[in-house]
Amino acid sequence: MLPAEAGPNAAFYVVLNAGSGHSETALRESTIRDVLGDAGRTCHLEIVDDPAKLCDIARRMATQAKENGGVVVAAGGDGTINTVAHEAVRQGCLFGVLPQGTFNYFGRTHGIPEELDEAVRALLDARVTPVQIGMVNDRIFLVNASVGLYPQLLEAREEDKRQYGRSRIVAILSALKTTLGRYRPLRIAMDAEGITRKLRTPTLFVGNNRLQMEQVGMEPMSVALEEGELAAIAPRQVGKLGMLGLLLRGALGRLGDADNLVAFSFKRLSVKHAALSPRRRIKVATDGEVTHMRMPLEFRVVEGRLMLLKPAAAPDAGADAKA
C-alpha cells in the first residue's frame, strides 16, 4: 500500500546529480543540507558524479526511504528525476523533486520552484499527490517518450551542451542542426484500442505533460492528459523544410494548426514495424534518456502509482493526478 502522507519528522533521502562543476555541486549540497537542517529535518544525501552509478544510487536511496518511512528526492534534470521516480514507484515510497534541468517541465507543471532553496523549503509543507505516469515496455516516463528523429536530436543536444554549455539557445540551435541532417524515416503500424494506423514518419512522440502540450499549441492533447490518457504526435513524411516548419510552429505555440500531423490520445498503444525489418531493437528516449528497446513497443498510462510531494501553495487546476 502506498503512503498517504509524509510524517512531520520524515527523513529526506536526496539523490543529487553532480551537474557541470564541483563548486556548483558543493553549493547545491550545502543549500539542501542547510535548509533542511535549519528546519530540524534529517537529510541523507548522495552525490552522483558518474552517470553510470545513478540507477544503483537511486535504488539504494529509495529502498532506505521505504524502510524508514522517508521521502526519496531527485535533485537534477528530467533524466535524473525519471530514474529516481522509477525507483520510488518500484519501492512504493514518497517522492520529492528539486528541479535543476534546462526545461524542468515536470517540476513546473506541479508548481515546484526552480530556485533550489525555495524548492527545498517547499518540501517541508508539501501535500502528497498521486501523479500519472506513462510507461513504454518496462520504463516509465513523466514528460515524454519518443522514437525516430527525436532521440537523435536528444543525443546531439547532449553532445552540443557538453561543448557549448547548458542553455535553451544551445538546445534550439542543436535541434535545427539535427533536423537539417540525415535521418531514416520510420515505417510503423500503431494499434490503439483496436484502431490501426500505418504511417511513414520521421518521429513518434508520446507526451505525458500538460505544460509541454500547451506550449507547442496542442491544447486538445493537454485536455486528454487531464482525462487520464497519453498524447501521440507524429508528422507525416515531409522534407527538411517541412520539418523546420513544424519546429517553428512548435516554437510559436501553433503546432496544432499543422495539417501534416497525426495526433490522437490513448490509454494503450502498440507500435511495431509496418513491414519486415532487420531492426529488432530501436532507440527510445524517455524523459531525455536514450536507450535501446525491443519491438514492438507497448505504451500505456498508469495512474496514481507515483506519490509526489507537491507544494501546498501550488495551484490546483485539476491536474493533481497528471504529469
Side-chain angles (χ1 to χ4, degrees):
M1 179 178 294
L2 290 170
E5 61 182 12
N9 298 314
F12 293 98
Y13 295 79
V14 182
V15 179
L16 173 62
N17 193 313
S20 57
H22 176 76
S23 61
E24 183 179 359
T25 299
L27 178 59
R28 290 176 177 176
E29 179 184 7
S30 64
T31 298
I32 295 168
R33 292 190 184 277
D34 289 348
V35 173
L36 293 178
D38 289 346
R41 302 294 290 272
T42 301
C43 172
H44 304 278
L45 186 148
E46 281 209 40
I47 296 174
V48 182
D49 52 13
D50 179 357
K53 299 178 182 178
L54 175 58
C55 289
D56 289 340
I57 292 174
R59 183 176 302 114
R60 182 169 67 253
M61 296 292 270
T63 300
Q64 292 176 19
K66 174 63 175 179
E67 292 174 349
N68 298 297
V71 181
V72 66
V73 179
D78 284 334
T80 301
I81 292 171
N82 173 291
T83 300
V84 181
H86 180 84
E87 296 303 327
V89 170
R90 288 186 59 195
Q91 296 297 330
C93 64
L94 297 180
F95 177 62
V97 170
L98 303 174
Q100 300 291 294
T102 303
F103 294 99
N104 295 327
Y105 280 121
F106 181 79
R108 290 160 58 204
T109 294
H110 293 287
I112 299 171
E114 295 189 75
E115 291 297 326
L116 181 58
D117 58 341
E118 295 178 13
V120 179
R121 291 188 184 95
L123 291 173
L124 299 173
D125 61 353
R127 53 195 171 93
V128 178
T129 303
V131 170
Q132 169 179 303
I133 60 175
M135 293 201 72
V136 52
N137 292 2
D138 60 349
R139 291 184 66 91
I140 78 166
F141 57 96
L142 306 178
V143 179
N144 59 57
S146 58
V147 295
L149 177 61
Y150 197 70
Q152 291 179 231
L153 185 153
L154 292 174
E155 289 182 321
R157 187 178 75 184
E158 288 306 307
E159 179 61 30
D160 289 336
K161 284 181 178 179
R162 281 192 288 270
Q163 293 187 49
Y164 306 111
R166 306 185 72 86
S167 74
R168 299 188 186 192
I169 295 298
V170 170
I172 291 170
L173 293 177
S174 179
L176 291 175
K177 180 187 69 174
T178 305
T179 303
L180 291 173
R182 297 180 60 185
Y183 51 85
R184 180 189 299 180
L186 298 170
R187 293 177 174 85
I188 54 176
M190 303 180 290
D191 186 277
E193 294 148 13
I195 299 175
T196 300
R197 298 173 173 87
K198 290 187 177 181
L199 188 65
R200 190 169 185 259
T201 180
T203 194
L204 169 65
F205 179 93
V206 177
N208 184 41
N209 184 273
R210 171 178 54 83
L211 178 60
Q212 190 174 49
M213 293 296 102
E214 291 174 351
Q215 285 194 342
V216 299
M218 299 295 292
E219 281 78 8
M221 296 295 97
S222 176
V223 173
L225 295 179
E226 298 289 350
E227 296 175 350
E229 297 186 312
L230 300 173
I233 302 172
R236 295 183 175 89
Q237 183 61 31
V238 294
K240 292 178 181 179
L241 288 179
M243 282 301 300
L244 283 176
L246 289 174
L247 284 177
L248 180 60
R249 284 180 180 273
L252 296 175
R254 297 176 52 192
L255 188 60
D257 297 337
D259 56 8
N260 54 355
L261 202 68
V262 175
F264 58 93
S265 59
F266 65 91
K267 288 186 177 293
R268 300 186 71 93
L269 173 69
S270 178
V271 178
K272 62 182 180 180
H273 293 298
L276 292 177
S277 171
R279 293 186 297 163
R280 296 182 180 179
R281 299 175 70 85
I282 190 170
K283 285 184 179 180
V284 181
T286 52
D287 294 341
E289 299 298 312
V290 179
T291 58
H292 287 81
M293 294 188 186
R294 284 191 171 275
M295 295 287 273
L297 302 177
E298 301 292 339
F299 294 89
R300 65 188 185 279
V301 66
V302 181
E303 296 189 63
R305 290 284 302 279
L306 180 63
M307 305 301 286
L308 174 69
L309 265 65
K310 183 172 179 176
D316 188 349
D320 284 357
K322 314 300 172 194

